[in-house]
Amino acid sequence: MRDVNAAAVQAGGSTCQPESASGSGIEVVNLCKTYKGGRVKAIDGLSLTVRPGEALGLVGPNGAGKTTLLGCLMGFLNYQSGTISIDGLAVDDLVTRSNVGYLPERLTFDRWMTGRDFLHYHHELSGRPHKLQEAETEELLRRVDLEPSAWSKPVRKYSRGMLQRLGFAQALIGKPRYLLLDEPASGMDPHGVLVVQELLQSLRAEGLTFLLNSHQLDQIERSCDRVAFIQKGKVIKEENLRDRESSLSHTLIIKWLLDGAPVEASAFTRVTAHCGATLEQFSPEDGLARVFVDNEEDSASLIKGLVEAGVPVTRVLPELSRLQRVFIDEMRRGEKQ
Amino acid sequence: MNRAICVNTWRQFKSNNVRLILLTLLILAPLAHFTWRRCTYEYDLMEDMISYPFVASLFALIWGVGVISCERQHGTISLVLARPLTVSRYVLSKWFAVGFAASLCSLQCLFVEHAVSVILYPPLLSNLDFVANGLERVILAFGTASMLIFYSSLVTGLKDLALIVGTLFAGMVGMQFLRPILISEVCMRGAGTAGQQFMTHLTNVVGSGFAVFFFPNIPVSEILNGSSAIFTSTINFVCVVTVCLSLAIFFLSRKEFSYGQD
């Protein structure tokens, strides 16, 4: 039987007080995972790197292999070929396990346990000092915004959102340096989604490295530095979300005041043509137009031109978020292939 | 051992009403039986009425069925194994939890029985047979627990109970019906004396192995009487426990885990 602390010392790390952004991150090289004796390829030569302190979002259609990838990263699934290392160590190494927190999409609980019991149990399993158990448990329960009246209730009485919050607290109980999150806001009410959003942002500010698998693209866009598009078990594109999006073309929705003088279609067309943009839709009765622009410079000159032409512009919104656009483009490309 | 896993196993059991009822019945049943026998004067009051150590196996069965397989079915095992904990430590903790709980229950049963005998006939206080009986119960509880852990690592849900019953039934059928046929003269015609001896010996070994596997015990009372060899029994017991636990660790290490229903 291997002693966790001894293993941590051997690897030059600490299990109890992990540093926030050290180590070599998560490295997945040419990973292949099949089911049903090789007939179903869930992951097909996937390679991925997550640097320490970075937040990576995983995006892809259902059945793309995202959850399987997280299963392999946690060491629950045996893969056929390729390598996975976290801080240079194997996924089933005890030091790795003490450094990684995991929130599955649908967490299962012993129904008789109370929320507090559940966290106490995992606190002890994580090897955290017993004297800190009560304080750390309460801190986490508050952090995930779980009602104090629910702490001592059996989890069978919890709603789906409450279970998800408890699951999130469980993922953070061992003070992990890496967090693998599979649909963290799944089943939550709007308030719960906001709590998860705030949590993710605060974790990112603390320098925690996380891998977020979510179908909520806005959540990934707000919380992650980078996004990997996965389709048919492969990373088909990686996108840096912190870059300026000057090179990307997109459609803008422009809205104006309906109370003032009517906006002429000819004036609108002239301004858009002058800026190199394309007018796709013009609805004077609704007070909105859809305009396709090539880049950010064109957007700026379009807005300036419209204001100078006397259009009482109230809002300029992108029709789709940046990630939504890239996602749709990639999915279309994948379908064509 | 991991304290958290042991405590969680006991608390899991406490939350299961069916098992609690079975446990209570198992504690009370021998006592009720002896009281009935005393009332009908079938037994003398001067006898120390204590049940056989075999009761410990039943306690282990109540505690141990589904101890790992139910966790696998519900998916809670994945979250435990995601923690810095080896599979071997998990298996050993479960084994200890089941063995310890079954020992405690069967010892409690023994003490109640002995106490009733002593109350009815105080000189029985100096009778130390119950010490050997208690020791045997503890050994049997841990031995049976290892066998249950092995079965529990193979399947999910309560299928391990079906597997145990099935194996036991198959073994009994084999010993009662197949063995006489295999070593009968009709079957062994032309095999020669050496062949007959080999076959008889083989069936005996298989039968003994089967008995040792399902009843892993060190017969302390018989050893103290001098009617049984301590060395052979100890080796048998250690082998069963080691093989069962090693196989359980091996099977669980090779399994893939997922969340939700397996």
Side-chain angles (χ1 to χ4, degrees):
Chain A
M1 219 177 293
R2 196 167 167 191
D3 184 56
V4 182
N5 293 325
V9 171
Q10 247 182 10
S14 159
T15 51
C16 293
Q17 294 293 326
E19 291 162 26
S20 54
S22 61
S24 58
I26 301 172
E27 257 184 89
V28 181
V29 182
N30 214 11
L31 187 74
C32 288
K33 163 74 191 161
T34 58
Y35 290 111
K36 295 184 180 175
R39 278 175 287 156
V40 179
K41 268 190 182 177
I43 296 182
D44 187 12
L46 184 144
S47 296
L48 196 72
T49 308
V50 189
R51 290 182 290 276
E54 190 184 33
L56 177 76
L58 296 177
V59 173
N62 290 330
K66 303 181 299 291
T67 301
T68 303
L69 172 65
L70 293 185
C72 291
L73 281 168
M74 285 306 298
F76 297 147
L77 302 174
N78 306 321
Y79 44 90
Q80 275 67 40
S81 63
T83 54
I84 303 179
S85 66
I86 298 178
D87 276 352
L89 298 170
V91 286
D92 55 357
D93 194 286
L94 295 187
V95 179
T96 309
R97 284 194 190 162
S98 63
N99 285 339
V100 179
Y102 181 45
L103 172 65
E105 186 183 356
R106 275 190 178 267
L107 194 56
T108 44
F109 299 86
D110 283 318
R111 289 163 56 80
W112 53 269
M113 271 188 182
T114 64
R116 195 196 289 265
D117 284 343
F118 180 70
L119 284 193
H120 281 172
Y121 178 46
H122 282 280
H123 189 275
E124 203 169 339
L125 286 177
S126 310
R128 303 280 304 151
H130 189 263
K131 59 182 177 186
L132 299 176
Q133 192 178 64
E134 200 58 51
E136 287 186 351
T137 303
E138 286 196 6
E139 184 201 328
L140 275 174
L141 286 168
R142 282 184 213 288
R143 201 172 175 189
V144 296
D145 207 21
L146 197 68
E147 290 279 318
S149 59
W151 296 359
S152 303
K153 277 186 190 169
V155 291
R156 65 171 173 269
K157 293 183 179 167
Y158 279 28
S159 67
R160 175 92 178 87
M162 287 161 85
L163 290 175
Q164 200 67 6
R165 283 168 205 232
L166 187 62
F168 211 119
Q170 164 281 136
L172 295 171
I173 194 90
K175 302 267 178 208
R177 285 166 50 192
Y178 297 93
L179 208 53
L180 308 181
L181 306 167
D182 198 355
E183 296 288 352
S186 148
M188 280 191 176
D189 56 11
H191 175 63
V193 173
L194 285 176
V195 170
V196 168
Q197 194 63 55
E198 278 170 20
L199 256 171
L200 289 174
Q201 276 165 358
S202 70
L203 293 172
R204 217 176 118 229
E206 286 168 23
L208 208 84
T209 311
F210 63 83
L211 204 63
L212 172 64
N213 171 25
S214 176
H215 288 300
Q216 296 179 1
L217 299 179
D218 58 325
Q219 190 178 58
I220 288 189
E221 204 158 8
R222 280 185 212 142
S223 325
C224 298
D225 302 308
R226 216 153 46 88
V227 62
F229 293 88
I230 298 181
Q231 198 169 29
K232 291 177 183 168
K234 281 180 184 159
V235 176
I236 51 169
K237 188 182 173 80
E238 283 189 44
E239 185 83 28
N240 192 335
L241 294 172
R242 302 291 158 238
D243 279 352
R244 285 181 62 81
E245 50 179 335
S246 54
S247 61
L248 287 167
S249 57
H250 49 269
T251 303
L252 297 176
I253 306 284
I254 298 168
K255 291 188 176 182
W256 60 84
L257 269 179
L258 285 170
D259 300 345
V263 176
E264 294 297 328
S266 57
F268 215 99
T269 315
R270 196 176 55 249
V271 174
T272 49
H274 177 71
C275 302
T278 315
L279 184 63
E280 291 183 342
Q281 185 194 343
F282 183 76
S283 308
E285 61 278 8
D286 300 325
L288 73 85
R290 286 172 77 238
V291 183
F292 183 80
V293 289
D294 281 334
N295 49 49
E296 277 197 329
E297 285 76 30
D298 287 355
S299 302
S301 59
L302 174 71
I303 296 163
K304 191 182 168 198
L306 287 173
V307 173
E308 282 173 358
V311 179
V313 177
T314 55
R315 283 183 196 182
V316 179
L317 305 162
E319 188 182 36
L320 293 172
S321 74
R322 178 187 179 187
L323 200 52
Q324 282 171 325
R325 265 180 286 129
V326 179
F327 179 73
I328 290 168
D329 288 347
E330 289 306 321
M331 291 308 114
R332 278 182 189 155
R333 196 174 299 160
E335 277 170 19
K336 277 179 194 168
Q337 280 171 2
Chain B
M1 307 300 157
N2 186 294
R3 199 191 74 95
I5 292 179
C6 291
V7 173
N8 191 54
T9 309
W10 296 326
R11 293 188 66 190
Q12 230 165 16
F13 184 89
K14 226 178 76 182
S15 68
N16 189 323
N17 290 337
V18 178
R19 291 192 198 218
L20 280 180
I21 292 167
L22 284 173
L23 195 71
T24 316
L25 285 177
L26 197 59
I27 291 174
L28 295 178
L31 200 64
H33 171 75
F34 294 139
T35 310
W36 172 254
R37 285 291 181 85
R38 281 192 185 106
C39 290
T40 54
Y41 301 103
E42 278 183 55
Y43 283 117
D44 196 339
L45 286 183
M46 285 182 286
E47 276 183 77
D48 195 357
M49 302 291 296
I50 49 178
S51 49
Y52 292 114
F54 170 71
V55 176
S57 283
L58 298 178
F59 279 110
L61 201 69
I62 294 176
W63 275 95
V65 165
V67 69
I68 293 176
S69 52
C70 282
E71 283 207 359
R72 277 185 59 206
Q73 189 183 31
H74 298 139
T76 46
I77 189 172
S78 329
L79 217 53
V80 175
L81 294 179
R83 299 288 170 200
L85 185 86
T86 53
V87 173
S88 51
R89 201 166 176 189
Y90 171 79
V91 168
L92 287 175
S93 305
K94 285 283 180 189
W95 171 64
F96 179 77
V98 173
F100 184 77
S103 307
L104 216 61
C105 290
S106 56
L107 286 179
Q108 185 189 351
C109 182
L110 176 72
F111 284 127
V112 171
E113 287 164 12
H114 186 61
V116 171
S117 299
V118 169
I119 289 165
L120 293 173
Y121 188 67
L124 284 175
L125 190 63
S126 57
N127 180 15
L128 292 179
D129 280 353
F130 87 101
V131 177
N133 188 311
L135 198 59
E136 227 170 286
R137 283 173 188 235
V138 173
I139 292 165
L140 193 57
F142 276 94
T144 313
S146 66
M147 186 260 287
L148 291 167
I149 293 284
F150 161 68
Y151 276 109
S152 204
S153 69
L154 295 176
V155 286
T156 57
L158 286 176
K159 291 184 200 116
D160 54 343
L161 182 61
L163 209 58
I164 293 167
V165 173
T167 324
L168 207 56
F169 183 72
M172 304 270 264
V173 169
M175 291 310 291
Q176 294 297 319
F177 299 104
L178 285 181
R179 187 173 176 273
I181 295 168
L182 281 175
I183 58 172
S184 65
E185 282 183 13
V186 181
C187 206
M188 298 299 292
R189 193 179 297 147
T193 321
Q196 277 180 0
Q197 276 179 350
F198 173 76
M199 206 58 195
T200 313
H201 191 63
L202 184 71
T203 50
N204 284 345
V205 166
V206 170
S208 309
F210 185 75
V212 167
F213 180 71
F214 275 97
F215 199 69
N217 191 23
I218 300 173
V220 181
S221 328
E222 288 176 28
I223 290 167
L224 290 176
N225 292 339
S227 56
S228 187
I230 184 168
F231 185 73
T232 318
S233 327
T234 312
I235 290 287
N236 284 344
F237 176 79
V238 172
C239 279
V240 170
V241 172
T242 315
V243 168
C244 284
L245 294 181
S246 308
L247 285 175
I249 293 166
F250 173 75
F251 287 127
L252 275 183
S253 308
R254 290 176 62 86
K255 288 265 185 316
E256 291 193 330
F257 299 106
S258 60
Y259 289 94
Q261 297 294 311
D262 202 332

PDB file of all heavy atoms in Angstrom, chain B residues 224-241:
ATOM      1  N   LEU B 224      -7.630 -27.127  20.416  1.00  0.00           N
ATOM      2  CA  LEU B 224      -7.371 -27.210  21.855  1.00  0.00           C
ATOM      3  C   LEU B 224      -7.591 -28.641  22.366  1.00  0.00           C
ATOM      4  O   LEU B 224      -6.887 -29.099  23.266  1.00  0.00           O
ATOM      5  CB  LEU B 224      -8.268 -26.229  22.611  1.00  0.00           C
ATOM      6  CG  LEU B 224      -7.942 -24.745  22.410  1.00  0.00           C
ATOM      7  CD1 LEU B 224      -8.945 -23.862  23.121  1.00  0.00           C
ATOM      8  CD2 LEU B 224      -6.527 -24.411  22.899  1.00  0.00           C
ATOM      9  N   ASN B 225      -8.585 -29.336  21.746  1.00  0.00           N
ATOM     10  CA  ASN B 225      -8.828 -30.736  22.127  1.00  0.00           C
ATOM     11  C   ASN B 225      -7.763 -31.672  21.573  1.00  0.00           C
ATOM     12  O   ASN B 225      -7.658 -32.820  21.966  1.00  0.00           O
ATOM     13  CB  ASN B 225     -10.178 -31.227  21.562  1.00  0.00           C
ATOM     14  CG  ASN B 225     -11.324 -30.524  22.228  1.00  0.00           C
ATOM     15  OD1 ASN B 225     -11.146 -29.999  23.308  1.00  0.00           O
ATOM     16  ND2 ASN B 225     -12.465 -30.498  21.565  1.00  0.00           N
ATOM     17  N   GLY B 226      -7.034 -31.194  20.597  1.00  0.00           N
ATOM     18  CA  GLY B 226      -6.007 -32.021  19.960  1.00  0.00           C
ATOM     19  C   GLY B 226      -6.534 -32.832  18.794  1.00  0.00           C
ATOM     20  O   GLY B 226      -5.837 -33.683  18.239  1.00  0.00           O
ATOM     21  N   SER B 227      -7.792 -32.579  18.364  1.00  0.00           N
ATOM     22  CA  SER B 227      -8.367 -33.378  17.273  1.00  0.00           C
ATOM     23  C   SER B 227      -8.155 -32.732  15.898  1.00  0.00           C
ATOM     24  O   SER B 227      -8.599 -33.249  14.891  1.00  0.00           O
ATOM     25  CB  SER B 227      -9.861 -33.589  17.518  1.00  0.00           C
ATOM     26  OG  SER B 227     -10.494 -32.349  17.658  1.00  0.00           O
ATOM     27  N   SER B 228      -7.524 -31.609  15.862  1.00  0.00           N
ATOM     28  CA  SER B 228      -7.284 -30.973  14.561  1.00  0.00           C
ATOM     29  C   SER B 228      -5.903 -30.318  14.551  1.00  0.00           C
ATOM     30  O   SER B 228      -5.408 -29.876  15.597  1.00  0.00           O
ATOM     31  CB  SER B 228      -8.373 -29.937  14.314  1.00  0.00           C
ATOM     32  OG  SER B 228      -8.254 -29.433  13.024  1.00  0.00           O
ATOM     33  N   ALA B 229      -5.308 -30.253  13.356  1.00  0.00           N
ATOM     34  CA  ALA B 229      -3.953 -29.705  13.257  1.00  0.00           C
ATOM     35  C   ALA B 229      -4.005 -28.197  13.038  1.00  0.00           C
ATOM     36  O   ALA B 229      -4.700 -27.726  12.144  1.00  0.00           O
ATOM     37  CB  ALA B 229      -3.224 -30.371  12.104  1.00  0.00           C
ATOM     38  N   ILE B 230      -3.293 -27.483  13.858  1.00  0.00           N
ATOM     39  CA  ILE B 230      -3.320 -26.016  13.792  1.00  0.00           C
ATOM     40  C   ILE B 230      -2.681 -25.510  12.493  1.00  0.00           C
ATOM     41  O   ILE B 230      -3.176 -24.569  11.873  1.00  0.00           O
ATOM     42  CB  ILE B 230      -2.633 -25.387  15.040  1.00  0.00           C
ATOM     43  CG1 ILE B 230      -2.770 -23.857  14.974  1.00  0.00           C
ATOM     44  CG2 ILE B 230      -1.171 -25.801  15.167  1.00  0.00           C
ATOM     45  CD1 ILE B 230      -2.414 -23.156  16.249  1.00  0.00           C
ATOM     46  N   PHE B 231      -1.604 -26.196  12.063  1.00  0.00           N
ATOM     47  CA  PHE B 231      -0.839 -25.713  10.920  1.00  0.00           C
ATOM     48  C   PHE B 231      -1.688 -25.734   9.636  1.00  0.00           C
ATOM     49  O   PHE B 231      -1.808 -24.731   8.937  1.00  0.00           O
ATOM     50  CB  PHE B 231       0.426 -26.568  10.753  1.00  0.00           C
ATOM     51  CG  PHE B 231       1.326 -26.063   9.667  1.00  0.00           C
ATOM     52  CD1 PHE B 231       2.072 -24.901   9.853  1.00  0.00           C
ATOM     53  CD2 PHE B 231       1.435 -26.740   8.458  1.00  0.00           C
ATOM     54  CE1 PHE B 231       2.895 -24.424   8.844  1.00  0.00           C
ATOM     55  CE2 PHE B 231       2.256 -26.270   7.449  1.00  0.00           C
ATOM     56  CZ  PHE B 231       2.989 -25.120   7.650  1.00  0.00           C
ATOM     57  N   THR B 232      -2.301 -26.904   9.375  1.00  0.00           N
ATOM     58  CA  THR B 232      -3.098 -27.046   8.142  1.00  0.00           C
ATOM     59  C   THR B 232      -4.251 -26.047   8.123  1.00  0.00           C
ATOM     60  O   THR B 232      -4.489 -25.374   7.116  1.00  0.00           O
ATOM     61  CB  THR B 232      -3.685 -28.476   8.057  1.00  0.00           C
ATOM     62  OG1 THR B 232      -2.686 -29.384   8.467  1.00  0.00           O
ATOM     63  CG2 THR B 232      -4.159 -28.803   6.673  1.00  0.00           C
ATOM     64  N   SER B 233      -4.977 -25.947   9.248  1.00  0.00           N
ATOM     65  CA  SER B 233      -6.131 -25.042   9.293  1.00  0.00           C
ATOM     66  C   SER B 233      -5.706 -23.597   9.066  1.00  0.00           C
ATOM     67  O   SER B 233      -6.358 -22.854   8.323  1.00  0.00           O
ATOM     68  CB  SER B 233      -6.836 -25.115  10.636  1.00  0.00           C
ATOM     69  OG  SER B 233      -6.772 -26.367  11.167  1.00  0.00           O
ATOM     70  N   THR B 234      -4.586 -23.214   9.707  1.00  0.00           N
ATOM     71  CA  THR B 234      -4.124 -21.834   9.576  1.00  0.00           C
ATOM     72  C   THR B 234      -3.732 -21.539   8.128  1.00  0.00           C
ATOM     73  O   THR B 234      -4.079 -20.489   7.580  1.00  0.00           O
ATOM     74  CB  THR B 234      -2.927 -21.564  10.520  1.00  0.00           C
ATOM     75  OG1 THR B 234      -3.265 -22.050  11.791  1.00  0.00           O
ATOM     76  CG2 THR B 234      -2.597 -20.089  10.612  1.00  0.00           C
ATOM     77  N   ILE B 235      -2.998 -22.495   7.528  1.00  0.00           N
ATOM     78  CA  ILE B 235      -2.568 -22.301   6.133  1.00  0.00           C
ATOM     79  C   ILE B 235      -3.791 -22.172   5.214  1.00  0.00           C
ATOM     80  O   ILE B 235      -3.865 -21.275   4.365  1.00  0.00           O
ATOM     81  CB  ILE B 235      -1.678 -23.488   5.669  1.00  0.00           C
ATOM     82  CG1 ILE B 235      -0.332 -23.453   6.369  1.00  0.00           C
ATOM     83  CG2 ILE B 235      -1.499 -23.502   4.146  1.00  0.00           C
ATOM     84  CD1 ILE B 235       0.613 -22.363   5.909  1.00  0.00           C
ATOM     85  N   ASN B 236      -4.773 -23.065   5.427  1.00  0.00           N
ATOM     86  CA  ASN B 236      -5.994 -23.015   4.616  1.00  0.00           C
ATOM     87  C   ASN B 236      -6.677 -21.664   4.741  1.00  0.00           C
ATOM     88  O   ASN B 236      -7.067 -21.053   3.751  1.00  0.00           O
ATOM     89  CB  ASN B 236      -6.986 -24.103   5.068  1.00  0.00           C
ATOM     90  CG  ASN B 236      -6.575 -25.469   4.573  1.00  0.00           C
ATOM     91  OD1 ASN B 236      -5.743 -25.569   3.668  1.00  0.00           O
ATOM     92  ND2 ASN B 236      -7.126 -26.507   5.161  1.00  0.00           N
ATOM     93  N   PHE B 237      -6.815 -21.218   5.992  1.00  0.00           N
ATOM     94  CA  PHE B 237      -7.506 -19.949   6.244  1.00  0.00           C
ATOM     95  C   PHE B 237      -6.772 -18.784   5.578  1.00  0.00           C
ATOM     96  O   PHE B 237      -7.376 -17.975   4.861  1.00  0.00           O
ATOM     97  CB  PHE B 237      -7.601 -19.730   7.761  1.00  0.00           C
ATOM     98  CG  PHE B 237      -8.215 -18.409   8.130  1.00  0.00           C
ATOM     99  CD1 PHE B 237      -9.592 -18.238   8.087  1.00  0.00           C
ATOM    100  CD2 PHE B 237      -7.430 -17.339   8.520  1.00  0.00           C
ATOM    101  CE1 PHE B 237     -10.167 -17.019   8.411  1.00  0.00           C
ATOM    102  CE2 PHE B 237      -7.990 -16.117   8.844  1.00  0.00           C
ATOM    103  CZ  PHE B 237      -9.361 -15.960   8.799  1.00  0.00           C
ATOM    104  N   VAL B 238      -5.478 -18.730   5.792  1.00  0.00           N
ATOM    105  CA  VAL B 238      -4.688 -17.621   5.235  1.00  0.00           C
ATOM    106  C   VAL B 238      -4.760 -17.636   3.701  1.00  0.00           C
ATOM    107  O   VAL B 238      -4.888 -16.589   3.054  1.00  0.00           O
ATOM    108  CB  VAL B 238      -3.219 -17.689   5.730  1.00  0.00           C
ATOM    109  CG1 VAL B 238      -2.339 -16.667   5.017  1.00  0.00           C
ATOM    110  CG2 VAL B 238      -3.169 -17.451   7.222  1.00  0.00           C
ATOM    111  N   CYS B 239      -4.710 -18.852   3.137  1.00  0.00           N
ATOM    112  CA  CYS B 239      -4.777 -18.968   1.666  1.00  0.00           C
ATOM    113  C   CYS B 239      -6.104 -18.438   1.131  1.00  0.00           C
ATOM    114  O   CYS B 239      -6.133 -17.657   0.183  1.00  0.00           O
ATOM    115  CB  CYS B 239      -4.626 -20.427   1.236  1.00  0.00           C
ATOM    116  SG  CYS B 239      -2.932 -20.932   1.222  1.00  0.00           S
ATOM    117  N   VAL B 240      -7.201 -18.866   1.762  1.00  0.00           N
ATOM    118  CA  VAL B 240      -8.518 -18.419   1.285  1.00  0.00           C
ATOM    119  C   VAL B 240      -8.619 -16.899   1.359  1.00  0.00           C
ATOM    120  O   VAL B 240      -9.021 -16.237   0.395  1.00  0.00           O
ATOM    121  CB  VAL B 240      -9.656 -19.092   2.113  1.00  0.00           C
ATOM    122  CG1 VAL B 240     -10.999 -18.450   1.795  1.00  0.00           C
ATOM    123  CG2 VAL B 240      -9.717 -20.560   1.806  1.00  0.00           C
ATOM    124  N   VAL B 241      -8.241 -16.339   2.504  1.00  0.00           N
ATOM    125  CA  VAL B 241      -8.352 -14.880   2.685  1.00  0.00           C
ATOM    126  C   VAL B 241      -7.472 -14.155   1.670  1.00  0.00           C
ATOM    127  O   VAL B 241      -7.921 -13.224   0.992  1.00  0.00           O
ATOM    128  CB  VAL B 241      -7.975 -14.486   4.140  1.00  0.00           C
ATOM    129  CG1 VAL B 241      -7.886 -12.975   4.278  1.00  0.00           C
ATOM    130  CG2 VAL B 241      -8.998 -15.043   5.107  1.00  0.00           C
TER     131      VAL B 241
END
